[in-house]
Amino acid sequence: MELKTTEPEASLRALTKVVRVLPPRLRARVDALRAMTLSAVVSGPVVAAGVLTTVAQACRDEERLRFGYTARGSAPTEREVEPHRVVALGGRWYLVAYDLGRHDWRSFRLDRLTGPTVTGARFRPRLLPAEGAVAFVQAASGTPAPYTVEVLVHAPLSRVRQAVGHWGAVEPLDQDSCRLTMTSTSLDWPTQALGNVGAEFEVLGPPEFAAHVQEWGARFVRATRAPA
């Protein structure tokens, strides 16, 4: 079984739907994946579900982990780590962990990680040198911090959901309006999504998105001006 990271949160929700019919052992693996994953969305490489659940369960159980790892442009290496959190960010899945061989914190891309195996050795959690696991991966990978866009859309819930799909959270306010929240490292996608809705809307935040929408609007107005 494989999980495609086009929508990390949606993938986790899809797993959750079948939890009730899973044996207790498999149910525990899914619960670990949900509990130990932090998401900042987007799309990227396919990662085997077995890798995700093994790594997440090791994070939850505070159990040392061994795996093969191939960094970009480097030869394969064997690593033993104290796993901290799984992060879905910038289209990729990462493991944040303390590398026992390098005596330092590292982030590992899960699509470059093979054969994760728990060692049975428990550890006492160390203090992560960052505000959180997402911030650590952002600093290590150079991934920009995502924007959280909030918009009041003057359209029914069903219409907004049909246009946006799973890429945003939609909260109904009344029969003809709703609040749409989208998280993205680019402001272009939320702008396009709102264009797909085809309804009036008001930007609630952040200011960067309001300026981005104004810039797009001005560009379209210029494009429709009659030539002199």
Side-chain angles (χ1 to χ4, degrees):
M1 176 182 178
E2 292 184 325
L3 290 180
K4 195 169 185 179
T5 60
T6 305
E7 243 183 295
E9 291 180 343
S11 298
L12 297 180
R13 287 196 298 270
L15 279 177
T16 302
K17 291 180 180 178
V18 298
V19 168
R20 295 175 185 173
V21 298
L22 291 176
R25 179 179 61 84
L26 294 180
R27 190 182 306 134
R29 290 166 68 86
V30 175
D31 287 342
L33 178 57
R34 289 162 47 200
M36 304 310 297
T37 300
L38 303 175
S39 177
V41 302
V42 181
S43 61
V46 172
V47 175
V51 170
L52 278 169
T53 54
T54 297
V55 171
Q57 199 163 8
C59 292
R60 185 197 64 183
D61 297 340
E62 298 174 354
E63 188 171 357
R64 288 182 179 177
L65 191 67
R66 289 197 187 105
F67 51 82
Y69 192 71
T70 305
R72 184 177 180 180
S74 303
T77 57
E78 292 295 321
R79 305 293 184 97
E80 183 171 346
V81 304
E82 295 176 353
H84 177 68
R85 284 292 185 279
V86 175
V87 174
L89 176 67
R92 298 183 175 89
W93 294 87
Y94 295 88
L95 166 65
V96 175
Y98 186 84
D99 190 321
L100 295 167
R102 278 110 179 121
H103 306 289
D104 200 3
W105 286 90
R106 293 285 191 275
S107 64
F108 301 93
R109 278 179 48 175
L110 292 194
D111 59 301
R112 294 177 175 171
L113 185 153
T114 58
T117 306
V118 292
T119 67
R122 300 297 179 92
F123 62 89
R124 178 176 296 178
R126 302 171 189 261
L127 181 64
L128 181 68
E131 292 183 4
V134 172
F136 182 84
V137 173
Q138 287 171 340
S141 64
T143 304
Y147 297 95
T148 299
V149 171
E150 291 188 336
V151 182
L152 173 61
V153 185
H154 297 287
L157 174 71
S158 58
R159 179 176 170 182
V160 177
R161 273 198 177 144
Q162 184 176 11
V164 177
H166 293 294
W167 292 99
V170 187
E171 175 190 355
L173 300 178
D174 54 45
Q175 290 185 343
D176 299 314
S177 64
C178 54
R179 180 192 297 267
L180 173 63
T181 304
M182 295 173 283
T183 303
S184 174
T185 55
S186 168
L187 292 176
D188 287 339
W189 157 245
T191 307
Q192 293 173 25
L194 286 164
N196 291 338
V197 175
E200 297 292 322
F201 63 90
E202 302 170 37
V203 176
L204 303 178
E208 294 90 343
F209 183 61
H212 194 74
V213 171
Q214 289 176 345
E215 179 185 344
W216 272 47
R219 190 179 306 142
F220 281 107
V221 169
R222 290 194 298 269
T224 58
R225 286 175 182 165

